[in-house]
């Protein structure tokens, strides 16, 4: 199955759980893409003593997951894309939703 995940928060526990879900889905043989929107574009490098979002994000990518980051959301925060979280567009988000068998939002 193909999962598209739209993550819209950088709240530690919710973002951490989103990437845990995504990694678990890959480990069960699914394909997964995550689109970061709004404040979620700040998830790369986000750490907390209990909910280490960056660690889960890296686990997801290392498991073969793909992350897309909203370019407009990045620019509004004066951030740039990275190799892990490349700049993407709403067209990419729509394409991900069309590609996915199921779309989940966090």
């Amino acid at each position: 199955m193909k999962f598209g995940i739209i993550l819209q928060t950088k709240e530690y526990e919710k973002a951490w759980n989103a990437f845990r879900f995504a990694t678990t889905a890959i480990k069960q043989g699914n394909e997964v893409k995550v689109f970061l929107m709004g404040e979620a574009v700040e998830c790369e490098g986000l750490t907390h003593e209990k909910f280490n979002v960056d660690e889960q994000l890296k686990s997801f990518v290392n498991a073969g997951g793909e992350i897309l980051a909203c370019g407009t959301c990045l620019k509004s925060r004066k951030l740039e894309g990275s190799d892990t979280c490349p700049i993407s567009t709403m067209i990419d988000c729509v394409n991900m939703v069309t590609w996915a068998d199921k779309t989940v939002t966090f």
Side-chain angles (χ1 to χ4, degrees), residues 4-73:
I5 298 173
I6 299 174
L7 179 58
Q8 302 179 78
T9 184
K10 65 176 184 178
E11 184 187 327
Y12 295 109
E13 188 171 8
K14 287 181 184 177
W16 180 75
N17 277 320
F19 283 110
R20 285 181 55 233
F21 173 87
T23 303
T24 301
I26 286 176
K27 288 179 179 179
Q28 290 187 333
N30 300 288
E31 294 179 60
V32 183
K33 295 181 183 183
V34 174
F35 191 89
L36 305 178
M37 186 182 298
E39 66 180 26
V41 298
E42 299 177 45
C43 282
E44 188 174 18
L46 190 63
T47 60
H48 179 276
E49 62 187 46
K50 189 172 183 181
F51 307 110
N52 190 332
V53 177
D54 191 56
E55 182 178 77
Q56 289 299 322
L57 182 151
K58 289 176 181 171
S59 292
F60 169 68
V61 172
N62 290 336
E66 181 180 349
I67 299 176
L68 306 165
C70 174
T72 301
C73 301

